[in-house]
Amino acid sequence: MILTVTLNPAIDHTLALSEPLVDGDVARTGEYELNSGGKGINVSQYLRHLGVETTTTGLLGGMTGEFIRNELDEDGIAHDFVEVSERTRLNTTISAPDAEYKINHHGPTVDESVIDELIDLISDHDPEVVVIGGSLPPGLDVDAIDRLAEGGPWETVVDVGGESLAELDAQYSLCKPNEVELAAATGMPCETIAECREAAQALREQGFDRVVASLGAAGALYVSEDTVLFAESLDIDVADTVGAGDALLSGVLAALHTGESPERVLSYGVAVSARLVTTAGTVVDHLDDVPELADRVRIVEDPD
Ligand SMILES: O=P(O)(O)OC[C@@]1(O)O[C@H](CO)[C@@H](O)[C@@H]1O
């Protein structure tokens, strides 16, 4: 079972505007989505659609936390959260014709004792893999991630910010930075695919068995001890990109879970990500077409 941990979940409020934002004008829209979000929660949503057994955990509080619980119940996603006293945050994405704006709150302040509660809760579920995703709320530092990773016999996957990646000390089976996080984690330039590849190889040596890097419209990289692969992204119409990295990670984890080849692992990730960005918000109805989309992904070995 793959268990996900979101230490700083959010309601994702996604708005679509038909005109660019103008300073001083009121922008009006009829279209919006309110989704349960945060990186670990998103990963569990996509894993469930991919047929992988998953439970989502983390910290929730207040009426926004209750909204997320209800959404997860409606979507049939198993969940078990530690309750915190302050309200879970609400993050906003504005999709305008000329730009995409994303505004994330820092989230509620929590006490570091919640990590002990979480380790007990995770142990009760006895997962094979724990995925820790997203930012840390005020009150926690990067040590919380290492403690979760070392809290039991599970293997741990991380999708956290670049500065956090650089400071982690535990052993991780996989991390999924984007190109900005790769640069921040390594201090190396990440302007080209070759530079991203070098940075991913350097990051691997810091304690990550595999690095899967999402490179936006350019594609994605998979770097393990003996394999370096690059996948071009699929040519699709993008509604918004929120959750694209989580979708990539879900596809990768689902394919690893069933023992697929590295090529298939990467193409599955790219396919789930492509499928997600064609839909507004972070929720998808189904992922039935992923195997077919994965067949269309072009993989390059040892890219320059
Ligand atoms: O502020 P964080 O924790 O880094 O990211 C949170 C977030 O932007 O990540 C998800 C998309 O990846 C969204 O569901 C959510 O709003």
Side-chain angles (χ1 to χ4, degrees), residues 6 8-13 35-40 42 46 89-93 102-105 133-136 159 161 181 241-246 282:
T6 313
N8 205 2
I11 295 181
D12 279 318
H13 181 205
N35 300 142
S36 53
K39 298 192 194 308
N42 293 342
Y46 311 140
R89 64 191 171 146
L90 180 139
N91 292 343
T92 301
T93 304
K102 178 100 169 79
I103 305 160
N104 285 12
H105 285 255
S135 58
L136 294 164
D159 181 6
E181 291 163 339
T241 60
V242 186
D246 311 334
T282 51

Side-chain angles (χ1 to χ4, degrees), residues 10-227:
I11 295 181
D12 279 318
H13 181 205
T14 309
L15 300 168
L17 298 183
S18 52
E19 303 287 332
L21 277 177
V22 177
D23 182 21
D25 283 5
V26 175
R28 295 189 189 273
T29 179
E31 287 178 38
Y32 72 96
E33 299 282 333
L34 283 180
N35 300 142
S36 53
K39 298 192 194 308
I41 290 177
N42 293 342
V43 168
S44 277
Q45 295 194 28
Y46 311 140
L47 283 176
R48 189 188 72 86
H49 282 302
L50 293 167
V52 178
E53 192 192 349
T54 182
T55 295
T56 191
T57 71
L59 310 176
L60 283 180
M63 64 172 190
T64 38
E66 214 36 51
F67 174 93
I68 289 176
R69 276 198 186 86
N70 290 338
E71 288 277 299
L72 292 170
D73 282 340
E74 274 176 29
D75 293 344
I77 297 165
H79 60 88
D80 192 4
F81 284 86
V82 171
E83 183 74 21
V84 294
S85 52
E86 287 184 28
R87 202 165 46 209
T88 292
R89 64 191 171 146
L90 180 139
N91 292 343
T92 301
T93 304
I94 302 173
S95 282
D98 59 335
E100 184 178 294
Y101 305 91
K102 178 100 169 79
I103 305 160
N104 285 12
H105 285 255
H106 50 59
T109 300
V110 303
D111 188 276
E112 61 184 1
S113 62
V114 292
I115 297 302
D116 297 316
E117 287 182 64
L118 261 179
I119 290 172
D120 287 347
L121 179 152
I122 295 169
S123 301
D124 288 346
H125 289 275
D126 194 23
E128 293 155 281
V129 180
V130 169
V131 182
I132 305 170
S135 58
L136 294 164
L140 295 182
D141 62 26
V142 103
D143 183 51
I145 302 170
D146 279 332
R147 285 186 55 214
L148 289 169
E150 290 173 337
W154 45 80
E155 65 176 75
T156 308
V157 170
V158 271
D159 181 6
V160 297
E163 290 81 7
S164 296
L165 278 182
E167 287 176 36
L168 292 175
D169 286 326
Q171 188 64 32
Y172 293 88
S173 63
L174 190 148
C175 69
K176 195 231 55 76
N178 60 27
E179 68 272 35
V180 177
E181 291 163 339
L182 252 186
T186 57
M188 295 168 70
C190 289
E191 300 290 328
T192 64
I193 290 160
E195 287 175 346
C196 289
R197 170 200 171 140
E198 274 186 40
Q201 280 170 319
L203 185 57
R204 219 188 65 72
E205 279 155 28
Q206 289 176 30
F208 305 96
D209 297 342
R210 293 186 191 85
V211 177
V212 175
S214 49
L215 308 181
L221 270 172
Y222 172 102
V223 177
S224 67
E225 189 180 2
D226 46 15
T227 311

